[in-house]
Amino acid sequence: MSVKSRVFHQLVRCSVLASMILVTHSVTWGQQRRGPATQQKSSAVPKSAKNPSDARDRKALAYYANAADYQNSGAFELAIEEWQKLVKEFPDHPQASAAWHHMGVCQLQRKEPDYSRAVQAFEQALKDDKLELREESLINLSWALVTQARSLEAGSAAQRRGYEQARDRMLEFLKRYGDADYVDQALFYLGDVEHILGDRQRSIAYFRKFLETKSLAKSPLRPDAVYALAVAYEEEQDFPEAKRRY
């Protein structure tokens, strides 16, 4: 791997970590918030949840409310404990899948992120086809898989499988949500992963698609995509194209 390629992958780690802010949001009842995690607000319980039907429902919703309050205030370890109580005691509750999703977000936002447990939580959430947070869960899962793969032995079969799994999830995201939010992240991750897996032509194709999509012109990942494309062209010895991008 060239020096420029190594520098690029270091930039990817920083860029992707920064972009995760777009995928986390306040835990709310009955509505989605796409604001940064740094602008968190307390949970808003909808009318349907203010009058739970029975004692079990009340207990489950109490876990949810406590976990939401902890998560929105940045107490992620405590939030995880409450989310775990909810999914363990009430695995079939209507809010259980959302609880798995939020638990995954908390695992990513801990002082020392646990990517393995985050992956498990998002995969559990995604088993629910009716999950309202499916888009967010899928892109978060993709990012967690990429980051988890980076921590494995370089060049190992396990690391390659990890990247391939991340690639498959990102392709699933694009198939389902090709015109939705976070498309810039999916294309950027795919370009990075294909470059790591050694398919520079596919990497170039994803970075080009990113840069040629007008709706992504203001993406914060755009400068890094330009640089990544230049690196890929240079490694392909297409020096005129590389020069155009640097």
Side-chain angles (χ1 to χ4, degrees):
M1 184 181 290
S2 69
V3 173
K4 287 182 178 178
S5 184
R6 287 196 296 271
V7 170
F8 159 61
H9 289 300
Q10 289 291 337
L11 286 172
V12 167
R13 291 186 182 93
C14 296
S15 298
V16 170
L17 181 59
S19 72
M20 281 297 296
I21 294 175
L22 301 177
V23 192
T24 59
H25 49 74
S26 300
V27 184
T28 59
W29 292 85
Q31 60 180 337
Q32 304 305 316
R33 294 186 184 275
R34 297 190 181 277
T38 52
Q39 298 177 1
Q40 295 165 336
K41 297 180 180 180
S42 60
S43 301
V45 183
K47 294 180 180 179
S48 60
K50 289 182 179 179
N51 297 300
S53 59
D54 55 36
R56 285 177 55 82
D57 197 30
R58 285 195 294 273
K59 188 175 182 181
L61 294 177
Y63 284 148
Y64 195 109
N66 289 339
D69 286 342
Y70 284 135
Q71 182 171 341
N72 291 340
S73 63
F76 301 116
E77 300 287 352
L78 294 175
I80 289 171
E81 291 180 8
E82 295 299 307
W83 293 128
Q84 288 175 334
K85 291 177 184 177
L86 194 160
V87 299
K88 183 177 181 179
E89 293 186 36
F90 308 100
D92 298 323
H93 191 274
Q95 296 297 335
S97 298
W100 279 112
H101 166 83
H102 294 305
M103 193 190 310
V105 171
C106 287
Q107 295 289 2
L108 293 178
Q109 292 187 304
R110 293 171 56 183
K111 185 176 182 180
E112 295 184 6
D114 190 324
Y115 298 106
S116 178
R117 290 184 177 179
V119 166
Q120 293 172 11
F122 290 127
E123 288 181 337
Q124 191 68 35
L126 288 165
K127 290 181 180 180
D128 181 0
D129 291 334
K130 297 180 180 180
L131 177 68
E132 292 183 5
L133 294 162
R134 192 173 191 84
E135 180 182 343
E136 289 87 345
S137 277
L138 195 50
I139 197 67
N140 274 310
L141 173 59
S142 301
W143 184 84
L145 286 167
V146 170
T147 308
Q148 182 176 243
R150 291 187 193 283
S151 67
L152 301 176
E153 181 182 353
S156 66
Q159 186 183 58
R160 185 173 185 84
R161 284 195 301 272
Y163 283 128
E164 289 173 345
Q165 187 179 5
R167 178 189 60 195
D168 291 344
R169 285 297 195 170
M170 288 181 276
L171 289 172
E172 178 186 350
F173 177 89
L174 288 178
K175 183 177 181 180
R176 285 175 172 264
Y177 309 108
D179 297 322
D181 293 337
Y182 319 127
V183 169
D184 58 336
Q185 296 179 43
L187 290 172
F188 189 77
Y189 301 163
L190 277 167
D192 178 40
V193 168
E194 292 293 6
H195 188 272
I196 292 171
L197 292 174
D199 194 331
R200 286 193 291 269
Q201 286 300 318
R202 285 189 178 181
S203 177
I204 287 171
Y206 285 123
F207 286 127
R208 283 186 63 113
K209 184 174 182 179
F210 179 111
L211 296 171
E212 292 169 3
T213 301
K214 293 182 179 180
S215 62
L216 303 181
K218 295 183 179 180
S219 169
L221 294 173
R222 187 177 180 84
D224 293 321
V226 171
Y227 181 79
L229 184 57
V231 169
Y233 273 129
E234 184 175 0
E235 291 180 347
E236 286 290 281
Q237 298 187 348
D238 189 339
F239 300 116
E241 281 292 338
K243 185 176 180 181
R244 284 184 57 225
R245 308 292 176 172
Y246 279 129

